[in-house]
Amino acid sequence: MKSFTSRMFSRVFGTMIRGTKPQHIIIPMIAWIMLVNGFTRFSPIRIVIGAAAGLIFTLLWYLIGSIVIVQKNANVYSVLDSQGFCMEYLCVYEHERITNKPFRLDYALEYAEIFMNIGKPDEAIKYLNTLTIPANANPMFQASYFYIYVMSALKINNLAIAEDMWNRSTELINRISTNPASVPNGYLVILSMIYTDCLAARQSGDRTRLERAFQQTESAMSGEIGKEYAARSGNSFDIVRLYQLKTLGMTDRYNALLPEVRAKVESSEPMLACLKAMEIEDLSQIENGELPI
């Protein structure tokens, strides 16, 4: 596997490239065309040179931006990469981003996620309850808040809390359903809803909840949500679908997909090595008939 810094750089740079809009390329190209041609002496060769210069300028801007982001974050995330979610990482994160530091909502959400993943989901919910998510907050933050809150509730086996958050987030859910591209990280909301239905079916024996989760998983994987997540080297939809197939008794399809998904997980190179280890553990739980939450 590549070094952590190279994996992080590839992820950051790739995210910038995927997020490029036409104007991000066109405006620099026009500016450089005007500059090269002196605003008055236009010629085909100068237009080509100016357009190329504009494109190179944009790529260099992304390159420099990616390097800055990596240098700013590597000292924190390298601990997570090597040690996974643990008390050591919690201490590093608190020191670098929480204790005596200006409040930032994105850091606060990551802080809650650490509690969720080190076996303290109840503490994650308590901390999230101290935060205020404005109605006009970045949809990415809204999606992350929803995911951490719901998954923390599921981890403490409290379906009521998860479904209450679901009911209170209809505007966000509808926005994702009608325009997935409008909510970065919207796949987190879909995954949370899928796992909520899976746990509800497990607790009550209501097969319709599990069937709905399966249909939503299939739909997400074939739509924009699944494509976005696949671009991040994530396998969570593949993994939860295996659980659904096994639990629904669709044995032939489960047996056919299991080795494919395992190979996909084992050959993956996510930015954080710990995520790969977590997915391998999820597969092990599914093989034992457990819901991997």
Side-chain angles (χ1 to χ4, degrees), residues 39 44 53 95-96 132 141 150 163-164 193 210 242 253 259 292:
F39 298 93
H95 179 265
E96 294 290 333
T132 299
F141 297 155
V150 170
E163 293 193 316
D164 177 64
M193 295 163 63
L210 186 58
L242 284 175
R253 192 174 176 195

Side-chain angles (χ1 to χ4, degrees), residues 47 59 119:
I47 291 175
L59 292 176

Side-chain angles (χ1 to χ4, degrees), residues 152-170:
S152 294
L154 299 182
K155 285 178 181 293
I156 60 175
N157 213 36
N158 195 323
L159 187 62
I161 292 178
E163 293 193 316
D164 177 64
M165 175 56 68
W166 185 338
N167 291 332
R168 289 190 285 119
S169 304
T170 53

